[in-house]
Amino acid sequence: MQALILALPKAELHLHLEGSLEPELMFELAQRNNISLAYASVAELRRAYQFNNLQEFLDIYYQGAAVLQTEEDFYDLTWAYLLRCQEEGVVHVEPCFDPQTHTDRGVKFATVIGGISRALRDGQQKLGISSALIMSFLRHLSERSALQTLEQAQPYKELIMAVGLDSSELDHPPEKFQRVFAKAIEQGFLTVAHAGEEGPAEYIWQALQLLHVSRIDHGVRAVEDEKLMQLLISEKMPLTVCPLSNTKLQVFAHMSEHNILQMLDRGVKVMVNSDDPAYFGGYLLANYQALIEHLPMTETQLKQLAKNSIEASFMPDLEKQRHLLKISQL
Ligand code: HPA
Ligand code: ZN
């Protein structure tokens, strides 16, 4: 099973670059940029990574992102993630970033996207990992702020495949960003949105009907609404599920209670992702391993999860076929 997980070509479609900032790199960047951290050591920082809900995580995650200042910092962050992908047999990535987390601190949009996109280009050229970048709006901020962010992205449209929606879900329904997403679609962006992580199934309906998303990020609360489940299945709508994130943030009390296999067996297009690996205890392989340890996963299910990750990606059909052929031969 372990060897198979590693060998399967996998795509990661739900990964926050800021959430791949390991404590060691956080301390290194803090020193490089003369920033003092609220924690004395890497060990003390890691001990703070205990969360009862999404908001408790977000508070620490935004604090950590403050060490990212220069183009080189964003390059180093992205490059470190890509090296992990190479080790783990991840052949394609669609990471997201939160521009507002940085522009609100006075870091230029150009600095952020410059570093990220240069690393992604090197990832393709030096590691053979293909990618598409997603720009996420912070849903706890205003519609106006999201519109400004979309405006700032105009010169970099060629570097961004889709827009997304993340941060505090409760009380910030997708409908708040209907006009922003309509504008993004007009400009040629694809759309995705976090929905049904902590928020109700109703937010998944809204993401589908009002934001016209190509994928739902998380979406695990869909099982509470049978009509929605039927729609997800018939539309082959992908859900980018993040098992370790869900248990770390208490969406499920224990991995043995996770509903990913239940959804997979019903024909929902779910796949495995790591969300914020530096904070939730591991990258893609660790997520697969946690599932195998606590759920009765078969080889067929494992292959289907990898297959779904390729099919649900935004890569060209020819590339998809190449990876799917390899999966079918394993
Ligand atoms: N949910 C919402 N916002 C986020 C997450 C998440 O899992 N990770 C980083 N920002
Ligand atoms: Zn997420």
Side-chain angles (χ1 to χ4, degrees):
M1 218 51 163
Q2 309 290 332
L4 178 61
I5 303 173
L6 181 62
L8 284 165
K10 300 168 289 294
E12 177 146 71
L13 310 180
H14 182 167
L15 179 286
H16 302 260
L17 284 169
E18 295 89 346
S20 70
L21 177 58
E22 290 289 343
E24 289 79 4
L25 183 57
M26 196 189 294
F27 271 84
E28 194 183 318
L29 297 185
Q31 195 170 30
R32 197 199 270 176
N33 295 323
N34 284 316
I35 293 170
S36 58
L37 291 170
Y39 302 90
S41 66
V42 164
E44 193 185 317
L45 179 57
R46 277 195 204 280
R47 272 198 296 278
Y49 291 178
Q50 310 280 344
F51 315 111
N52 292 303
N53 52 48
L54 175 59
Q55 194 57 52
E56 286 187 11
F57 155 68
L58 290 171
D59 292 342
I60 284 199
Y61 160 88
Y62 294 130
Q63 216 181 311
V67 301
L68 296 160
Q69 299 276 343
T70 66
E71 208 240 26
E72 188 187 4
D73 299 343
F74 287 94
Y75 181 93
D76 291 350
L77 172 74
T78 308
W79 186 248
Y81 166 61
L82 290 167
L83 288 177
R84 288 300 294 250
C85 289
Q86 188 192 33
E87 282 172 26
E88 300 198 350
V90 178
V91 296
H92 176 81
V93 294
E94 296 185 0
C96 65
F97 71 112
D98 297 330
Q100 290 151 299
T101 299
H102 314 297
T103 52
D104 282 5
R105 303 182 280 118
V107 178
K108 292 209 162 32
F109 191 100
T111 302
V112 180
I113 196 151
I116 292 172
S117 62
R118 189 159 59 84
L120 291 177
R121 202 172 58 232
D122 282 354
Q124 173 73 70
Q125 286 172 1
K126 297 179 183 168
L127 308 175
I129 298 172
S130 55
S131 57
L133 184 59
I134 301 172
M135 174 175 87
S136 291
F137 302 115
L138 298 179
R139 69 203 302 159
H140 69 276
L141 300 180
S142 66
E143 178 192 40
R144 200 175 107 90
S145 173
L147 281 169
Q148 281 170 348
T149 303
L150 185 60
E151 201 56 44
Q152 288 171 330
Q154 292 309 305
Y156 310 99
K157 264 165 75 171
E158 300 312 310
L159 301 174
I160 301 169
M161 175 72 78
V163 299
L165 193 60
D166 63 3
S167 189
S168 323
E169 187 180 11
L170 294 170
D171 299 327
H172 300 287
E175 65 184 343
K176 178 175 165 186
F177 296 95
Q178 189 173 353
R179 283 181 294 204
V180 183
F181 273 58
K183 206 161 187 182
I185 290 167
E186 238 175 63
Q187 296 171 352
F189 293 104
L190 294 170
T191 65
V192 298
H194 284 53
E197 177 187 17
E198 280 191 344
E202 163 61 19
Y203 287 12
I204 301 176
W205 281 111
Q206 285 188 17
L208 295 169
Q209 295 175 333
L210 305 180
L211 307 187
H212 308 288
V213 294
S214 300
R215 298 192 297 250
I216 296 285
D217 290 320
H218 292 295
V220 289
R221 288 194 61 191
V223 295
E224 295 167 21
D225 182 336
E226 182 50 31
K227 203 163 147 229
L228 175 61
M229 285 291 282
Q230 293 298 335
L231 182 76
L232 296 176
I233 294 163
S234 66
E235 295 291 314
K236 301 184 171 59
M237 177 57 60
L239 305 188
T240 64
V241 175
C242 309
L244 284 174
S245 166
N246 291 155
T247 48
K248 278 283 181 185
L249 301 185
Q250 318 290 338
V251 172
F252 296 96
H254 193 266
M255 196 61 82
S256 58
E257 292 167 24
H258 204 288
N259 63 13
I260 186 169
L261 292 188
Q262 181 194 333
M263 290 201 284
L264 184 72
D265 289 347
R266 289 207 55 194
V268 183
K269 207 175 195 60
V270 289
M271 88 297 299
V272 181
N273 302 270
S274 67
D275 207 6
D276 302 283
Y279 291 90
F280 298 151
Y283 290 76
L284 199 58
L285 287 191
N287 274 272
Y288 273 103
Q289 263 143 14
L291 290 176
I292 286 173
E293 195 176 323
H294 297 285
L295 294 172
M297 172 111 69
T298 65
E299 277 197 11
T300 308
Q301 287 170 324
L302 188 59
K303 285 183 186 168
Q304 189 63 48
L305 288 168
K307 215 173 136 193
N308 287 352
S309 77
I310 301 293
E311 285 175 347
S313 75
F314 298 138
M315 70 178 112
D317 274 344
L318 214 61
E319 285 296 291
K320 288 187 187 179
Q321 292 314 321
R322 187 165 67 84
H323 296 304
L324 291 172
L325 178 66
K326 180 150 183 229
I327 294 176
S328 71
Q329 290 166 338
L330 284 168

